[in-house]
Amino acid sequence: MTFLQEVVDLLLAYIVESFDRETKVIDFHYPNELLQLNNWELQDEPATLDDILISCRATLKYAIKTAHPRYFNQLSTGLDMVGLAADWLTSTANTNMFTYEVAPVFVLLEYVTLKKMREIIGWPDGRGDGIFSPGGAISNMYAMLLARFKMFPEVKEKGMSSVPRLAAFTSEHSHFSIKKGAAALGIGTESVICIKADECGKLIPADLERRILEAKQKGFVPFFVSATAGTTVYGAFDPLIAISDICRKYNVWMHVDGAWGGSLLMSGRHRWKLDGVERANSVTWNPHKMMSVPLQCSALLNLLTPQGLMQNCNQMHACYLFQQDKHYDLSYDTGDKALQCGRHVDIFKLWLMWRAKVGGLACGRFVPYIIAAYLFPLSLVCVFPQPQHTNVCFWYLPPGIRYMEDKEEQKKRLHKVAPVIKARMMEYGTTMVSYQPQGDKVNFFRMVISNPAATFEDIDFLIEEIERLGHDL
């Protein structure tokens, strides 16, 4: 108990430090340096508890402070105290989500929360099904799995050789998990057809319909369309109503990847961006992003068509877990509809935060429009016209290239700017922001605001740091 109390004291001190703007976001070392700084190797003899505490301190010393108000690097940032408390409780309970008999409260909480999420999507009476999974990529793969099983149930036993060549469709700006899911399910990445997006990153419905017809003419069977609500880079929202019309016309499963933007369903001000989501067959929603639930917390929700689709798709009737003569309602033994056997309890964090905040989970407090206008002094150039979410994408033009007349040379040199500034930023440790290219656009910064602790002063600081670290380029 003394050891645990010392660990708790260490964690509480780290939490306070993480919110302190005077501390670094990162104490960066290159991998070979970090390997030499501490003895990370596993030994043949057990360490003392004092040594274990030293290891805990070292781990936190070199960890990235993702709760820091100046950490803008990823979609999942911040640290919620109620969510953290729930995570500690979950680890203390240390159980598995496969049956009601070993996780009665958690199974019930998953049941009521998934139903509430389906109601918020707009499915009548919250009807449907769902599962919490280890992240949005797996949730998206669940959707693809269900779509294939609904169209060709024989694939479960006979494999891909028993079905025609399938085609899935998604935006060129969509998450890589759509192709990864196709690879994992044996459908193949070449069967994922990328649809053109407009300058703001939204899927173009006319191109979707054209590519569906083209695939049918080539002998493919269109079975799955993944629309995106909040793309990873631009934060774009695909036009769901138009996509739904096309999916219904050609009898194709419509999935909405709302891993990033799905939480706007909680916002009275921004919910309209997902108009048409209630017409989808399935939705991915990651509360561990915009809703600040501690990692990981991702749900796949599907409208039951037909009844028991997820169960029939995945169940294997393991008699040592899912006995049919138990003394309670077997519908609460949810493990057989999951791909996993062992499944972590991810529900309690979301449920407890929901109870603590009620409407406070809504995302209307984030105003990307104001931030976007606020972000662009002379040295910064917007990548696309009007941000739709809290993603703000921009180039920093250092004085050395700002007024270059040779635009091709300027573009070539601009491509190298963001990586250099990011490297310097990490070595100083003062802030973190992501960068990437997109299509024919050279490297640009992608600033994401999802941490409730971040203020305009922190945005000021980021801009000043970028200019300080890049003024000589």
Side-chain angles (χ1 to χ4, degrees), residues 12 15 18-19 66-68 76-89 287-295 348-358 360-362 365-366 450-453:
L12 293 175
I15 292 166
S18 293
F19 287 92
T66 58
H68 199 290
S76 303
T77 64
L79 184 62
D80 184 271
M81 296 304 109
V82 174
L84 179 62
D87 217 2
W88 288 354
L89 186 149
H288 70 228
K289 292 192 168 91
M290 184 58 81
M291 290 168 73
S292 299
V293 176
L295 284 159
F348 192 62
K349 297 170 290 190
L350 173 59
W351 180 84
L352 201 66
M353 285 177 64
W354 205 315
R355 295 270 285 194
K357 300 171 186 288
V358 193
L361 284 173
R365 64 186 184 275
F366 295 105
S450 61
N451 186 349

Side-chain angles (χ1 to χ4, degrees), residues 19 40 49 59 61 72 84 101 108 121 159 181 234-235 239 259 267 299 312 336 340-341 371 400 409 473:
F19 287 92
W40 306 105
L49 290 181
T59 300
K61 174 177 170 57
F72 301 103
L84 179 62
E101 68 179 279
L108 291 178
I121 287 170
Y234 281 17
S267 167
N312 293 332
D336 214 10
Q340 305 156 257
C341 178
I371 291 165
E409 180 61 23
L473 297 177

Side-chain angles (χ1 to χ4, degrees), residues 90 93-100 102-103 106-111 114 129-135 138-139 142 296-300 310-311 314 321-322 331-348:
T90 296
N94 191 32
T95 193
N96 198 315
M97 284 295 289
F98 44 47
T99 61
Y100 178 83
V102 298
F106 296 132
V107 165
L108 291 178
L109 296 184
E110 186 172 79
Y111 172 81
L114 287 171
D129 205 347
I131 198 87
F132 279 86
S133 79
I138 302 300
S139 292
Y142 266 117
Q296 62 195 18
C297 187
S298 174
L300 183 279
M310 184 178 286
Q311 185 82 16
N314 297 323
L321 279 177
F322 308 112
S331 68
Y332 291 102
D333 280 359
T334 56
D336 214 10
K337 68 182 179 184
L339 290 174
Q340 305 156 257
C341 178
R343 190 160 66 91
H344 188 262
V345 177
D346 294 326
I347 180 57
F348 192 62

Side-chain angles (χ1 to χ4, degrees), residues 274-289:
L274 288 97
D275 282 352
V277 68
E278 71 284 352
R279 303 173 73 180
N281 298 96
S282 56
V283 177
T284 290
W285 182 347
N286 283 12
H288 70 228
K289 292 192 168 91

Side-chain angles (χ1 to χ4, degrees), residues 83-363:
L84 179 62
D87 217 2
W88 288 354
L89 186 149
T90 296
S91 293
T92 304
N94 191 32
T95 193
N96 198 315
M97 284 295 289
F98 44 47
T99 61
Y100 178 83
E101 68 179 279
V102 298
V105 175
F106 296 132
V107 165
L108 291 178
L109 296 184
E110 186 172 79
Y111 172 81
V112 299
T113 305
L114 287 171
K115 184 174 187 292
K116 185 68 173 178
M117 293 171 82
R118 292 191 299 267
E119 289 173 358
I120 290 170
I121 287 170
W123 293 335
D125 302 318
R127 73 168 184 263
D129 205 347
I131 198 87
F132 279 86
S133 79
I138 302 300
S139 292
N140 287 339
M141 189 170 74
Y142 266 117
M144 189 175 283
L145 185 68
L146 293 175
R148 184 181 64 175
F149 181 76
K150 182 189 176 188
M151 188 172 281
F152 297 105
E154 65 271 22
V155 74
K156 179 179 177 180
E157 295 181 353
K158 297 178 180 177
M160 285 298 292
S161 62
S162 66
V163 302
R165 191 163 185 195
L166 304 177
F169 305 83
T170 193
S171 164
E172 60 184 348
H173 282 232
S174 67
H175 194 262
F176 68 85
S177 59
I178 304 302
K179 283 192 173 183
K180 185 167 280 195
L185 296 177
I187 294 165
T189 58
E190 289 184 358
S191 295
V192 178
I193 298 168
C194 291
I195 308 304
K196 290 178 183 177
D198 64 20
E199 63 174 355
C200 293
K202 298 181 181 182
L203 180 147
I204 299 172
D207 192 54
L208 171 62
E209 184 163 23
R210 181 181 71 82
R211 298 303 296 274
I212 287 176
L213 289 170
E214 189 178 89
K216 287 167 71 75
Q217 289 168 2
K218 291 179 179 178
F220 287 81
V221 176
F223 82 108
F224 181 80
V225 170
S226 179
T228 310
T231 58
T232 306
V233 179
Y234 281 17
F237 288 79
D238 289 342
L240 302 184
I241 293 174
I243 292 169
S244 169
D245 288 341
I246 294 168
C247 288
R248 292 184 178 191
K249 182 176 179 180
Y250 296 101
N251 194 30
V252 179
W253 180 288
M254 178 185 171
H255 173 63
V256 174
D257 177 7
W260 175 221
S263 296
L264 293 191
L265 289 168
M266 304 283 285
S267 167
R269 183 174 181 181
H270 296 290
R271 183 189 167 92
W272 64 268
K273 295 171 187 173
L274 288 97
D275 282 352
V277 68
E278 71 284 352
R279 303 173 73 180
N281 298 96
S282 56
V283 177
T284 290
W285 182 347
N286 283 12
H288 70 228
K289 292 192 168 91
M290 184 58 81
M291 290 168 73
S292 299
V293 176
L295 284 159
Q296 62 195 18
C297 187
S298 174
L300 183 279
L301 304 119
N302 77 284
L303 184 63
L304 281 183
T305 49
Q307 185 76 18
L309 182 68
M310 184 178 286
Q311 185 82 16
N312 293 332
C313 179
N314 297 323
Q315 67 183 357
M316 290 296 159
H317 305 288
C319 60
Y320 51 85
L321 279 177
F322 308 112
Q323 301 92 337
Q324 296 303 295
D325 50 2
K326 291 182 180 181
H327 61 290
Y328 57 80
D329 183 349
L330 297 180
S331 68
Y332 291 102
D333 280 359
T334 56
D336 214 10
K337 68 182 179 184
L339 290 174
Q340 305 156 257
C341 178
R343 190 160 66 91
H344 188 262
V345 177
D346 294 326
I347 180 57
F348 192 62
K349 297 170 290 190
L350 173 59
W351 180 84
L352 201 66
M353 285 177 64
W354 205 315
R355 295 270 285 194
K357 300 171 186 288
V358 193
L361 284 173
C363 307

